[in-house]
């Protein structure tokens, strides 16, 4: 593939994910973005509406949806001259470590906030993950058609809690019953809001300039209110600054109502203009440039396929450089083997298709019979290992208990294999024979139990266990580490990779232990 072509195609890519708290409007925003991208004709077709989702502690239901969820894990659509890749971040009951790790495979993120609720707990966590790689963030304040909080307060809260400066790009005119539209601070235009959109794209009236007399005609008193607010913003607020946005220090803020298709087009226009295209990516030896001729990529997620009888899994690989073409041979760098990739999957929105060509920023799905692990690198021959695709410390822990003790071997095998997919983790304490599974979302325990039964013929239950959080422990001082291992053995475990983890009975205990062992490092992530 001509290098010029690779550079051009890479430059057109915008690969991002949405971070939000459940119910803030991620699904609705996704749907509308697909609508603007021409990927769907009418909104209302994206799977996983709330009515389905909340009942999904039943893994059977999820099982039925598996095929679909592979497809909607990545949605690709063209917008203007760019190609947008939107990576799904599972959010409700299906929240898991995959959600975190997906954020290591994007170049930027869109934060969706419910304007009535402000910054919520899940958003804070996801933002922390974005910080690991200083990911640029755009913000959409959603649900302005309802009474919400004062827009200034909302921005203050984002600045205070998330420690990022806010620069409004659009500004709301009223809210709830008085919501009339937004003023675009960079384009100096007012976009008027219409509530009845019937699922299509909104094309309300646009008024040029704040001084336009038409504004007073349409908005009445609200016109002067708007002028005052904008004056205040221009004097005291942050102006949009692309460099600060790209450095993760400032977030451009847009206001709107996703359900009414309002305010998102302004965001999408600016998104394709300013959001970063694929950036150079660090490997253990060197930084890999997207426009390099040779293909490279890393696996950030593994998902079980539809048919459990085949144990077929799809490995999601993000392309970092070069171009992928069907039938090409790739080097699986960790095991040093070459494999021919005949049937990779691509993710054109609403359709799962076989990939012909894919470029940096794109995601492809590789069929995997158990040899591919999260964090694995693929190349065209170079021995390379991409960095920054970690495991995250689980937040929930349970002990696996067998119904039939004779099935111990099968249980261990099943747990190891399922945990290798990466949505849950296995810890084996140093001082007893417990099998402790850790996860970021509670549904993962149901998933593991169901799949153990279905795929490994093992009946197992998950019971509470006295572990609150885990930290991987490191030290350059081997003697000291050995001492630590000795004295703290009761609270230590090995994970699937054999790495040593401190499994803390409580946060307080963790804190005290950290204070007592200042030369031991306690890390909340572990690199593969
Ligand atoms: P999520 O994926 O972040 O969890 O949120 P989702 O889009 O499912 O939206 C959560 C709820 O908020 C949904 O209502 C959705 O219709 C509503 N919503 C999204 N955007 C807006 C908006 O701009 N204004 C208003 N007023 N509501 C909005 P639901 O009744 O809980 O579910 P559903 O039956 O509509 O699916």
């Amino acid at each position: 593939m001509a290098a010029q072509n690779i550079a051009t195609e890479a430059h057109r890519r915008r690969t991002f994910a949405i971070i939000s708290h459940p119910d803030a409007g991620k699904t609705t925003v996704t749907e509308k973005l697909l609508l603007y991208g021409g990927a769907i004709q009418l909104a209302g077709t994206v799977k996983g509406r709330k009515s389905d989702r909340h009942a999904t502690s039943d893994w059977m239901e999820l099982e039925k949806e598996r095929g679909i969820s592979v497809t909607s894990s990545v949605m690709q659509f063209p917008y203007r001259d760019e190609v947008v890749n939107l990576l799904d971040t599972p959010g409700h009951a299906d929240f898991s470590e995959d959600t975190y790790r997906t954020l290591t495979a994007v170049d930027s993120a869109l934060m969706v906030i419910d304007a009535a609720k402000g910054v919520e707990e899940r958003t804070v966590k996801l933002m922390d993950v974005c910080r690991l790689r200083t990911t640029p963030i755009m913000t959409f304040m959603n649900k302005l058609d309802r009474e919400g909080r004062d827009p200034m307060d909302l921005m203050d809260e984002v600045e205070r809690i998330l420690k990022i400066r806010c620069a409004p790009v659009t500004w709301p005119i009223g809210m709830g019953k008085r919501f009339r539209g937004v003023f675009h601070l960079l384009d100096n235009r007012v976009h008027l809001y219409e509530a009845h959109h019937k699922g299509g794209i909104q094309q309300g009236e646009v008024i040029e300039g704040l001084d336009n007399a038409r504004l007073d005609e349409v908005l009445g008193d609200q016109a002067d209110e708007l002028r005052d607010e904008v004056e205040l913003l221009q004097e005291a607020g942050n102006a949009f600054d692309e460099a600060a946005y790209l450095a993760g220090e400032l977030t451009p803020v847009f206001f709107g109502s996703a359900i009414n298709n309002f305010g998102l087009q302004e965001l999408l226009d600016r998104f394709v203009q300013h959001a970063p295209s694929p950036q150079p990516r660090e490997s253990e030896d060197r930084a890999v440039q997207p426009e390099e001729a040779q293909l490279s990529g890393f696996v950030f997620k593994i998902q079980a396929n539809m048919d459990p009888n085949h144990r077929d899994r799809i490995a999601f690989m993000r392309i970092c450089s070069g171009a992928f073409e069907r039938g090409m041979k790739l080097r699986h760098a960790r095991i040093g083997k070459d494999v021919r990739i005949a049937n990779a999957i691509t993710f054109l929105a609403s359709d799962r298709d076989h990939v012909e060509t894919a470029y940096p920023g794109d995601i492809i799905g590789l069929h995997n019979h158990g040899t591919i692990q999260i964090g694995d690198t693929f190349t065209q021959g170079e021995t390379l290992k991409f960095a920054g695709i970690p495991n995250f410390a689980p937040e929930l822990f349970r002990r696996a208990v067998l119904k039939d003790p004779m099935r111990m071997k099968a249980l261990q095998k099943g747990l190891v294999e399922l945990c290798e997919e990466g949505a849950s983790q296995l810890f084996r304490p140093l001082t007893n024979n417990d099998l402790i599974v850790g996860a970021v979302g509670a549904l993962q325990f149901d998933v593991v139990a169901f799949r153990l039964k279905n795929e490994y013929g093992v009946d197992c239950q998950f019971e509470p266990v006295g572990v609150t959080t885990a930290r991987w422990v490191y030290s350059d001082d081997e003697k000291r580490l050995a001492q630590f291992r000795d004295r703290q053995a009761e609270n230590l475990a090995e994970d699937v990779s054999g790495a040593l983890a401190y499994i803390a009975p409580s946060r307080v205990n963790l804190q005290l232990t950290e204070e007592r062992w200042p030369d031991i490092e306690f890390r909340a992530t572990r690199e593969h």
Side-chain angles (χ1 to χ4, degrees):
M1 182 65 53
Q4 183 56 41
N5 199 19
I6 293 173
T8 310
E9 290 295 333
H11 198 69
R12 293 172 65 203
R13 293 317 196 256
R14 301 287 181 275
T15 302
F16 81 111
I18 298 180
I19 60 174
S20 63
H21 194 79
D23 284 340
K26 187 192 70 165
T27 311
T28 313
V29 168
T30 301
E31 195 170 272
K32 305 302 161 141
L33 294 179
L34 294 179
L35 180 72
Y36 289 116
I40 48 175
Q41 296 308 310
L42 276 185
T45 56
V46 171
K47 66 107 205 180
R49 301 303 303 166
K50 193 175 172 191
S51 43
D52 309 330
R53 270 184 333 234
H54 280 269
T56 49
S57 63
D58 184 357
W59 167 239
M60 288 297 285
E61 283 306 312
L62 274 193
E63 178 79 356
K64 279 190 223 150
E65 284 180 14
R66 263 203 217 170
I68 308 168
S69 71
V70 167
T71 320
S72 65
S73 294
V74 182
M75 288 156 277
Q76 183 182 70
F77 58 93
Y79 187 73
R80 302 206 190 283
D81 294 328
E82 269 58 54
V83 177
V84 179
N85 290 310
L86 170 51
L87 275 55
D88 186 35
T89 38
H92 284 252
D94 50 353
F95 182 62
S96 77
E97 222 187 310
D98 283 346
T99 311
Y100 288 163
R101 218 175 288 106
T102 295
L103 295 175
T104 66
V106 298
D107 300 304
S108 71
L110 168 61
M111 172 161 74
V112 175
I113 289 179
D114 182 331
K117 296 194 176 143
V119 176
E120 295 175 88
E121 164 248 336
R122 185 76 57 82
T123 311
V124 179
K125 284 188 183 163
L126 294 169
M127 198 53 187
D128 283 345
V129 178
C130 287
R131 284 236 163 71
L132 294 174
R133 297 180 55 244
T134 50
T135 309
I137 313 271
M138 286 199 180
T139 300
F140 185 70
M141 300 286 189
N142 191 25
K143 308 196 187 183
L144 267 288
D145 58 301
R146 285 194 190 157
E147 286 310 323
R149 309 221 328 239
D150 176 63
M152 291 284 187
D153 276 0
L154 282 171
M155 292 202 306
D156 278 351
E157 187 170 277
V158 169
E159 298 202 335
R160 196 165 30 83
I161 298 180
L162 301 178
K163 308 269 183 296
I164 187 166
R165 284 183 286 137
C166 289
V169 173
T170 64
W171 189 253
I173 308 168
M175 66 168 68
K177 287 201 181 67
R178 291 183 81 231
F179 185 52
R180 305 303 306 278
V182 293
F183 173 63
H184 199 301
L185 282 102
L186 303 182
D187 296 350
N188 193 26
R189 275 190 202 124
V190 169
H191 297 254
L192 290 181
Y193 166 73
E194 284 166 22
H196 302 289
H197 56 93
K198 303 204 178 70
I201 291 175
Q202 271 222 35
Q203 280 164 331
E205 184 178 347
V206 176
I207 300 174
E208 297 287 338
L210 266 191
D211 299 334
N212 199 320
R214 174 77 185 137
L215 213 56
D216 302 274
E217 241 173 85
V218 196
L219 295 182
D221 290 349
Q222 279 180 274
D224 275 340
E225 278 173 37
L226 172 67
R227 291 184 184 111
D228 290 346
E229 284 173 10
V230 171
E231 198 182 316
L232 193 70
L233 285 176
Q234 281 162 346
E235 275 165 20
N238 296 308
F240 173 67
D241 170 349
E242 188 178 73
Y245 156 66
L246 292 174
E249 292 159 5
L250 172 145
T251 177
V253 180
F254 299 78
F255 291 83
S257 164
I259 196 122
N260 291 299
N261 283 353
F262 189 80
L264 277 169
Q265 181 139 30
E266 290 74 13
L267 181 142
L268 190 53
D269 285 342
R270 288 285 162 175
F271 174 78
V272 291
Q273 193 179 340
H274 302 289
S277 57
Q279 298 296 297
R281 181 100 202 179
E282 285 302 325
S283 75
E284 282 177 357
D285 301 314
R286 65 186 188 90
V288 176
Q289 308 295 323
E291 56 278 2
E292 287 178 24
Q294 300 270 303
L295 178 124
S296 69
F298 65 85
V299 172
F300 62 93
K301 170 167 157 172
I302 291 175
Q303 193 166 320
N305 204 358
M306 280 272 276
D307 186 351
N309 295 324
H310 287 112
R311 297 253 177 95
D312 190 11
R313 301 171 194 179
I314 305 288
F316 290 75
M317 178 173 96
R318 146 127 194 177
I319 299 179
C320 299
S321 67
F324 175 83
E325 281 174 274
R326 190 137 73 114
M328 151 180 232
K329 226 196 246 166
L330 292 185
R331 167 79 48 91
H332 188 172
R334 179 175 49 84
I335 57 177
K337 259 196 174 161
D338 287 339
V339 277
R340 189 170 294 284
I341 312 290
N343 53 353
I345 295 166
T346 186
F347 302 96
L348 268 177
S350 75
D351 216 16
R352 171 166 141 175
D353 223 332
H354 287 291
V355 73
E356 295 295 340
T357 322
Y359 295 96
D362 289 346
I363 311 300
I364 60 175
L366 306 175
H367 289 276
N368 168 30
H369 305 286
T371 48
I372 308 180
Q373 294 175 6
I374 285 171
D376 278 357
T377 298
F378 284 85
T379 65
Q380 279 182 272
E382 187 179 354
T383 304
L384 202 66
K385 176 144 190 22
F386 283 107
I389 312 121
N391 271 117
F392 292 86
E395 286 145 37
L396 303 162
F397 297 82
R398 306 254 193 287
R399 183 190 359 238
V401 182
L402 264 183
K403 290 202 179 129
D404 172 5
M406 300 300 284
R407 302 287 296 150
M408 195 52 170
K409 268 236 160 81
L411 173 67
Q412 288 176 345
K413 176 172 188 287
L415 281 178
V416 167
E417 289 186 9
L418 294 180
C419 290
E420 272 170 5
E421 284 182 16
S424 45
Q425 294 181 50
L426 179 62
F427 293 93
R428 287 183 254 222
L430 299 187
T431 56
N432 63 48
N433 292 326
D434 280 353
L435 294 166
I436 298 177
V437 173
V440 164
L443 180 68
Q444 290 311 315
F445 298 110
D446 294 349
V447 172
V448 172
F450 178 87
R451 290 186 57 194
L452 280 172
K453 190 161 184 196
N454 226 33
E455 296 167 34
Y456 298 85
V458 176
D459 237 328
C460 119
Q461 270 180 337
F462 284 102
E463 288 185 348
V465 61
V467 180
T468 307
T469 185
R471 291 290 180 271
W472 286 277
V473 293
Y474 299 84
S475 176
D476 291 334
D477 184 344
E478 275 180 33
K479 231 170 104 194
R480 194 71 179 138
L481 192 62
Q483 247 175 13
F484 180 73
R485 193 182 166 109
D486 206 42
R487 300 239 191 101
Q488 297 291 329
E490 259 180 42
N491 289 330
L492 286 171
E494 282 183 356
D495 72 3
V496 185
S497 74
L500 195 62
Y502 186 80
I503 48 176
S506 69
R507 297 245 162 216
V508 175
N509 169 287
L510 174 65
Q511 202 186 333
L512 289 175
T513 312
E514 281 176 329
E515 282 166 16
R516 241 174 251 152
W517 296 82
D519 35 13
I520 301 284
E521 237 189 287
F522 295 76
R523 294 191 197 153
T525 57
R526 176 179 72 76
E527 281 280 327
H528 283 268

